[in-house]
Amino acid sequence: LTLENYLAVFTEETTRSALVLSLGISDVVSVLSIVLCIGPAWLLVRREFFGKRIFRAILTVPMAFSGIIIGFLAVIMIGRIGIIPLLSDLLFGIPVWEALAYSLTGLGISYIWFQIPRATLNLESAIRKFDWDLESASRSLGASAGQTVWYVLVPLLTPAIVSTMAVTFAVSMGSFGVALLLLKKASVLPLEIYIKMYSVLAFELAAALSVVLAIITVAVNYFLRRYVER
């Protein structure tokens, strides 16, 4: 409960770097998850096509996995002897994405894959609630497809987008298993808490890190949801 432990979160180089990295990667992952998932969510609601159930199942599979499993799959796919580097080396003579899993880019890709089910299901649920008569009214009044999307559909979808950002940001901030397996030269806040607890036995600092992590996550979710309500 001493102020010294909380000051150390922001003054100690390792903890400050872990905090900044956690915030940065969570922001990027939450935005990219929406960008990548809004199309599939729209497709699942508005189109019927062969293999639709299989497509939805593939998108939602990562939700059943823990972070450790996601990390192992990243190693299998884009590790030093991963499937993608081996296949590209066999086909083109160049090992593409070799050892990418152990970089910040690989961590971000793993995080995004972990978030795809949550983002897709949230956005799909919101799109299903659309009043499609508004789209028809817009087109009948002379709006182009682009104008209909920008002036009618995007404003209606904005609350769902912000809500999805809140969910994916919170999950990314607290994600531990993926970082434990993949990060070698950097650290994120949950991993730093683990290190302080079990490697250097700095229990008080680990507790302060946990409180700071909780406060930041709750605060971001609170302000985003207040924005959605407005």
Side-chain angles (χ1 to χ4, degrees):
L1 294 176
T2 62
L3 182 62
E4 180 183 355
N5 291 316
Y6 289 92
L7 289 175
V9 175
F10 303 98
T11 58
E12 188 178 299
E13 177 62 28
T14 55
T15 55
R16 185 174 67 248
S17 298
L19 174 59
V20 171
L21 181 57
S22 288
L23 289 170
I25 199 167
S26 297
D27 287 338
V28 172
V29 166
S30 61
V31 172
L32 289 181
S33 296
I34 292 170
V35 172
L36 293 174
C37 294
I38 194 167
W42 185 276
L43 191 65
L44 288 170
V45 174
R46 297 290 285 168
R47 295 290 183 270
E48 292 295 332
F49 55 90
F50 178 76
K52 183 176 180 178
R53 292 183 179 179
I54 297 176
F55 180 63
R56 178 182 278 111
I58 291 172
L59 287 177
T60 55
V61 157
M63 186 175 284
F65 295 156
S66 67
I68 296 290
I69 300 298
I70 297 294
F72 272 123
L73 289 172
V75 172
I76 290 170
M77 296 302 295
I78 53 177
R80 289 187 177 87
I81 52 172
I83 294 174
I84 292 177
L86 288 176
L87 281 177
S88 62
D89 189 30
L90 180 65
L91 296 173
F92 309 110
I94 301 174
V96 178
W97 289 5
E98 186 178 22
L100 183 65
Y102 306 107
S103 66
L104 291 180
T105 302
L107 181 68
I109 292 172
S110 302
Y111 272 24
I112 290 171
W113 190 40
F114 199 40
Q115 302 297 353
I116 281 176
R118 296 170 181 83
T120 302
L121 292 176
N122 276 2
L123 293 170
E124 182 184 355
S125 176
I127 293 171
R128 287 191 184 280
K129 297 175 182 178
F130 272 178
D131 182 357
W132 297 106
D133 289 339
L134 296 175
E135 180 191 25
S136 301
S138 172
R139 300 300 296 273
S140 67
L141 291 170
S144 65
Q147 289 174 321
T148 299
V149 169
W150 184 251
Y151 292 109
V152 179
L153 301 182
V154 169
L156 289 173
L157 194 58
T158 296
I161 291 174
V162 176
S163 178
T164 303
M165 286 183 65
V167 172
T168 54
F169 177 86
V171 175
S172 297
M173 282 292 291
S175 183
F176 166 73
V178 178
L180 179 65
L181 284 177
L182 301 184
L183 279 186
K184 305 300 180 185
K185 297 181 180 180
S187 182
V188 290
L189 212 52
L191 184 56
E192 197 63 27
I193 293 169
Y194 175 82
I195 292 171
K196 299 301 183 189
M197 281 283 292
Y198 296 105
S199 295
V200 298
L201 304 180
F203 301 111
E204 295 85 358
L205 182 53
L209 286 167
S210 300
V211 172
V212 170
L213 174 62
I215 289 173
I216 291 174
T217 305
V218 171
V220 170
N221 269 266
Y222 174 78
F223 286 112
L224 286 176
R225 293 188 184 281
R226 283 294 301 272
Y227 174 78
V228 169
E229 290 172 3
R230 290 200 302 270

